[in-house]
Amino acid sequence: HGLHYASWNELGIVRAQMGDFSGAKDAFEEAIRIDPRECRAQNNLGGLMFNRRDTDFARRIYMDTLAYCQDDPVALFMLGLMHYESWKEAQRLGDSLERQDRLRDEAQYFFQTLVDYQEQLEGQPRFAELEKVKAWLLELTFLQ
């Protein structure tokens, strides 16, 4: 079913590029139905939903990705980013310290997991945004 999965995933990419949100979503969901352990379509669907600002849906998709691909750098990055952005917004709005702390802790967890996993890789390409993630970790840790 690898080719079948890849075809639906690629169709989703093409439909997204053409601005067919509904068609892209349907294609990615079909690819996920075919093989939920192959995480490319999940990441693509999560990205599609994130770009549409449906962060709750995107968050659920990325968490599903981690259920199958626990060290997936895209899912870890995006989950960290969503929590980081929510933390910044909570600070700006003056949300409760409890909410701010929870969002900060979540962002730190996903970003640190990504950094730890990437540092274990030897001789393999690293995640392109790794230095940015490290800077955000410093901010989350020391600029509270």
Side-chain angles (χ1 to χ4, degrees):
H1 62 266
L3 185 56
H4 194 210
Y5 169 89
S7 297
W8 280 104
N9 186 52
E10 292 300 317
L11 179 61
I13 292 169
V14 169
R15 286 185 170 172
Q17 290 170 340
M18 294 175 56
D20 179 6
F21 165 75
S22 179
K25 183 177 180 284
D26 290 346
F28 291 139
E29 287 176 338
E30 180 62 19
I32 293 166
R33 188 192 64 72
I34 292 167
D35 189 354
R37 294 166 310 205
E38 177 58 62
C39 297
R40 289 174 298 161
Q42 289 172 329
N43 285 334
N44 290 335
L45 179 57
L48 181 72
M49 301 311 289
F50 178 78
N51 288 335
R52 302 279 302 187
R53 302 314 292 168
D54 189 344
T55 54
D56 289 336
F57 189 101
R59 194 174 280 120
R60 285 191 306 274
I61 290 297
Y62 287 123
M63 290 301 294
D64 287 348
T65 300
L66 293 180
Y68 293 101
C69 307
Q70 69 184 32
D71 295 324
D72 186 275
V74 172
L76 291 168
F77 174 79
M78 291 303 296
L79 285 164
L81 177 63
M82 285 187 279
H83 285 92
Y84 174 80
E85 288 179 348
S86 295
W87 172 68
K88 297 294 272 186
E89 182 72 7
Q91 286 183 314
R92 189 180 69 72
L93 296 174
D95 287 353
S96 72
L97 291 178
E98 180 181 335
R99 176 171 162 67
Q100 290 181 41
D101 287 347
R102 182 182 54 78
L103 292 167
R104 185 196 67 236
D105 291 349
E106 289 291 319
Q108 284 176 312
Y109 170 79
F110 291 114
F111 284 154
Q112 190 63 57
T113 302
L114 173 59
V115 168
D116 291 347
Y117 173 70
Q118 290 290 298
E119 288 178 352
Q120 294 174 10
L121 299 177
E122 294 183 21
Q124 295 181 29
R126 294 197 177 232
F127 189 70
E129 303 290 336
L130 195 58
E131 293 309 312
K132 186 184 295 186
V133 169
K134 289 179 180 180
W136 287 336
L137 270 171
L138 286 174
E139 179 184 1
L140 288 160
T141 302
F142 297 110
L143 301 177
Q144 301 176 33

